[in-house]
Amino acid sequence: MSNEYVIGIDLGTTYSCLAYINEDGDPVVEKNFEQEDTTPSVILFNENGEIIVGSPAKDMAIMYPLERVVTAIKRQIGTDYEVDIDGDKYTPVTLSAAILRKMINDFNDNHGVEVKRAVITCPAYFGQNERDATKTAGKVAGLEEVTIINEPTAAAIAFGFGAGGGEKKRVMIYDLGGGTFDVTILDINGNAFTAVATDGERLLGGKDWDQVLIKLIKQKVCEENGIDGSELEDDDDVKQALILDSETIKKRLSSAESTKGTLTVGGKKAVYTITRAEFEAATAPLMQTTIEIIGRVLAAKNFTMKDIDDLILVGGSSRMPQVKNGISKKYPEANVRVFDPDQSIAKGAAIFSKSHNWVGADEVAAAVAAGKTIVPKEGEITVHNVLSKSFGIKAQYDDGKEMISNIIFRNKVLPIVQTKTYYPIEDGQTSIKVEIFENSASDNDEGKRIELIDGYSVGEFEMDLPVGVNRSTPITVKFVATDEGILVAHVDCMSQHAEYQLQNKLQMSDSEIKDSQGLMEKVTTGN
Ligand code: AMP
């Protein structure tokens, strides 16, 4: 039975959500053990060596030292961030895996199954390292097969499903979550979802609104209670309380025009009042950033808002009235709709999971390289993404300077195949190291060299050359960016053919994955 359950997981910065397809074929959100639809992405390491995830972790956080509580780990994914807890090292991959493990444990316990595959979502602008890390987190959590799709695409799939399908539409997905923000334009044509352009801000989300609100609360507490600001600064309890309170106050201001709160300072309760107008004024620059990104995405394809049929708001932070109001003020012609903000991404992932033919990424890459298309089955949902980053190689130019020479450009629909020819630098050369850099150059910059510091190294591969090459032996490299945005290189030189996947220092080996799976035993279950 286990494999008949298809699940989709929205692994969010502040909250995560798991959905599956029920017997009627509808996507439904699975309640966690705590009976909540979404699980706070908070991890707490208690003194008994247990890893506690979700609301219990969030609730207990105030009683533990800051270093035993991990929040917003998604912001670190793809980096070399590491925490050491009681002698065990945890990376963004293992910490994300702990969140996934908790949600999957709860699902398994509730349904008496053992889920082995899932679709996990990630922000559209995630690059190679982040996608790879998200996939590996799924493996560490015990999944055997993991497919990654972009969050806005998942939201569009859920939207398309809700609209009954069959329609031809161009939608814009505005996704303001807890820690990340992106805007994506997608064309929906029946079961085919094609992303057209995407842009975003890696470090922008509800958490930033919380940070601004914390400052505002501090200011109000001082003003209204005659407290000196310095009293609030070095107090860890105040710090912890404000982290939780700011989010509660923010949510309240989504439905109330004004709210009161209390903060205990030096053993005394201080009461304060915050109005929505004050909160909106203080956070206006954040909101403005999102509006500017909408403009950037439209401009990337020379669209105006009139080209967009529906502008769909997803992500928990879209609940703030300033979002819909701010967008409608700037774009009165936009058809703005708040669509199931907390659940649409997980549901879309589950719908995709059901219709997905689960062909391995390697197989897809091989088919693409050979110029073959994999024909979708009847009713299958097809998804074509755009690359969020351009890819280039580190090249040495005639003037001796090393710069990035771009090969594949962002905002082009995947899969993409691009063939380049290179030559050995010397006769008898045995190998060539190819280092791949991501960067944000657009196709308008084609031909332009990019400085290395404006890019980000995502890995390399070493091409072995056959015996007997000389400086005029062509080496044909076919770069393939698959539908998942994974880069593969097919190299032909003389009669030798070889295929390479990017290798980077953050990738985990099978044995490291296995060891990390052991750590997941510490994740507590409700039973
Ligand atoms: P997501 O990552 O999409 O689950 O979004 C979570 C973010 O949405 C967090 O920053 C929450 O504080 C925020 N959020 C959820 N509900 C509301 C609400 N009613 N008003 C304002 N923000 C909210």
Side-chain angles (χ1 to χ4, degrees):
M1 175 76 203
S2 74
N3 280 342
E4 289 173 22
Y5 273 105
V6 283
I7 63 171
I9 302 177
D10 170 4
L11 183 60
T13 311
T14 48
Y15 290 90
S16 297
C17 182
L18 185 152
Y20 70 103
I21 304 294
N22 70 9
E23 310 81 66
D24 300 329
D26 291 323
V28 281
V29 161
E30 170 78 3
K31 285 198 190 308
N32 62 14
F33 178 76
E34 291 76 29
Q35 295 304 301
E36 302 153 328
D37 288 335
T38 57
T39 299
S41 306
V42 179
I43 304 150
L44 180 136
F45 295 86
N46 76 5
E47 60 282 19
N48 305 324
E50 291 170 323
I51 302 177
I52 298 166
V53 175
S55 287
K58 197 171 176 179
D59 296 341
M60 286 192 289
I62 196 155
M63 293 170 265
Y64 282 81
L66 283 171
E67 61 274 12
R68 297 190 80 88
V69 183
V70 178
T71 58
I73 192 58
K74 190 172 176 180
R75 287 190 163 181
Q76 304 291 344
I77 210 147
T79 72
D80 54 7
Y81 170 91
E82 215 175 66
V83 283
D84 189 318
I85 307 282
D86 305 329
D88 284 322
K89 286 203 179 354
Y90 292 87
T91 62
V93 169
T94 48
L95 292 164
S96 302
I99 299 169
L100 293 171
R101 187 69 245 159
K102 183 260 187 308
M103 296 205 295
I104 295 168
N105 278 346
D106 285 359
F107 185 89
N108 287 347
D109 289 347
N110 194 19
H111 294 264
V113 293
E114 202 169 319
V115 166
K116 286 289 172 207
R117 64 190 190 190
V119 170
I120 303 176
T121 59
C122 76
Y125 59 81
F126 259 20
Q128 288 277 320
N129 287 345
E130 295 104 323
R131 280 166 203 272
D132 209 49
T134 307
K135 224 171 167 161
T136 310
K139 298 257 168 78
V140 172
L143 295 169
E144 285 165 10
E145 282 179 282
V146 181
T147 290
I148 304 287
I149 64 166
N150 288 348
E151 288 159 9
T153 309
I157 291 173
F159 178 77
F161 183 90
E167 273 186 274
K168 211 171 161 168
K169 276 191 157 189
R170 175 166 293 152
V171 298
M172 176 185 277
I173 309 285
Y174 173 106
D175 181 5
L176 186 59
T180 57
F181 170 66
D182 50 70
V183 182
T184 301
I185 300 174
L186 282 125
D187 284 340
I188 306 179
N189 189 355
N191 273 330
F193 295 78
T194 305
V196 179
T198 191
D199 205 336
E201 189 69 61
R202 215 200 129 94
L203 299 178
L204 183 65
K207 279 211 161 290
D208 300 288
W209 269 257
D210 297 348
Q211 286 302 319
V212 174
L213 187 54
I214 286 177
K215 274 198 198 139
L216 190 60
I217 294 175
K218 281 184 180 167
Q219 185 193 327
K220 288 293 197 135
V221 165
C222 293
E223 274 170 23
E224 292 174 21
N225 300 275
I227 293 173
D228 189 81
S230 60
E231 279 184 61
L232 304 178
E233 287 316 317
D234 308 318
D235 189 328
D236 265 357
D237 289 344
V238 164
K239 221 183 254 171
Q240 288 277 28
L242 281 175
I243 292 173
L244 291 181
D245 292 355
S246 60
E247 195 189 3
T248 314
I249 298 275
K250 174 184 73 176
K251 288 185 180 172
R252 245 187 260 157
L253 287 174
S254 288
S255 46
E257 293 282 348
S258 149
T259 184
K260 280 188 190 305
T262 59
L263 185 70
T264 307
V265 189
K268 274 201 239 118
K269 228 180 212 175
V271 181
Y272 57 88
T273 308
I274 307 243
T275 67
R276 186 191 295 168
E278 287 165 338
F279 174 57
E280 291 186 351
T283 52
L286 297 173
M287 187 58 218
Q288 183 54 27
T289 305
T290 73
I291 303 259
E292 279 162 18
I293 293 174
I294 293 181
R296 230 156 63 189
V297 177
L298 289 171
K301 290 285 152 184
N302 289 323
F303 289 153
T304 69
M305 199 50 95
K306 292 208 175 65
D307 295 309
I308 307 293
D309 296 311
D310 292 291
L311 198 165
I312 302 157
L313 306 183
V314 298
S317 301
S318 292
R319 288 228 165 82
M320 294 185 292
Q322 58 174 288
V323 173
K324 189 163 191 260
N325 294 341
I327 297 172
S328 298
K329 193 165 161 220
K330 167 78 185 174
Y331 295 105
E333 67 278 29
N335 187 16
V336 187
R337 315 165 55 150
V338 181
F339 179 69
D340 203 1
D342 300 322
Q343 305 188 352
S344 57
I345 293 173
K347 284 181 183 168
I351 299 166
F352 178 71
S353 178
K354 178 166 186 252
S355 103
H356 186 44
N357 69 11
W358 291 96
V359 177
D362 296 346
E363 227 174 294
V364 175
V368 173
K372 286 191 216 140
T373 32
I374 296 178
V375 182
K377 286 182 296 198
E378 175 82 22
E380 186 183 334
I381 293 175
T382 57
V383 166
H384 290 296
N385 289 316
V386 286
L387 268 186
S388 57
K389 304 269 171 56
S390 299
F391 283 110
I393 59 161
K394 182 162 95 181
Q396 191 166 29
Y397 285 86
D398 293 343
D399 54 11
K401 198 162 176 203
E402 286 189 327
M403 294 187 82
I404 303 168
S405 158
N406 271 327
I407 294 163
I408 292 177
F409 288 89
R410 72 194 181 100
N411 278 341
K412 289 268 167 66
V413 177
L414 294 167
I416 301 168
V417 181
Q418 193 64 260
T419 306
K420 292 264 173 183
T421 304
Y422 302 99
Y423 295 89
I425 317 175
E426 53 192 48
D427 294 345
Q429 193 170 336
T430 54
S431 68
I432 298 185
K433 195 162 91 178
V434 180
E435 196 174 350
I436 306 285
F437 278 74
E438 275 178 354
N439 58 90
S440 51
S442 73
D443 49 0
N444 300 331
D445 299 328
E446 197 150 354
K448 201 170 106 187
R449 307 175 187 184
I450 309 290
E451 296 279 351
L452 289 183
I453 51 159
D454 293 330
Y456 179 77
S457 168
V458 287
E460 57 185 36
F461 59 91
E462 184 115 14
M463 303 192 283
D464 295 321
L465 300 180
V467 177
V469 296
N470 59 42
R471 275 182 295 171
S472 51
T473 310
I475 305 161
T476 315
V477 184
K478 201 187 266 182
F479 293 95
V480 180
T482 67
D483 270 321
E484 276 189 302
I486 308 276
L487 197 66
V488 184
H490 294 251
V491 182
D492 283 288
C493 182
M494 295 164 74
S495 59
Q496 179 183 297
H497 178 83
E499 285 175 30
Y500 301 94
Q501 299 244 357
L502 273 193
Q503 303 293 332
N504 73 59
K505 57 181 187 306
L506 294 172
Q507 270 164 355
M508 289 166 76
S509 65
D510 286 348
S511 72
E512 284 170 322
I513 292 178
K514 232 182 153 44
D515 289 348
S516 301
Q517 283 170 342
L519 289 175
M520 295 300 112
E521 301 291 317
K522 298 181 182 200
V523 177
T524 56
T525 59
N527 303 306

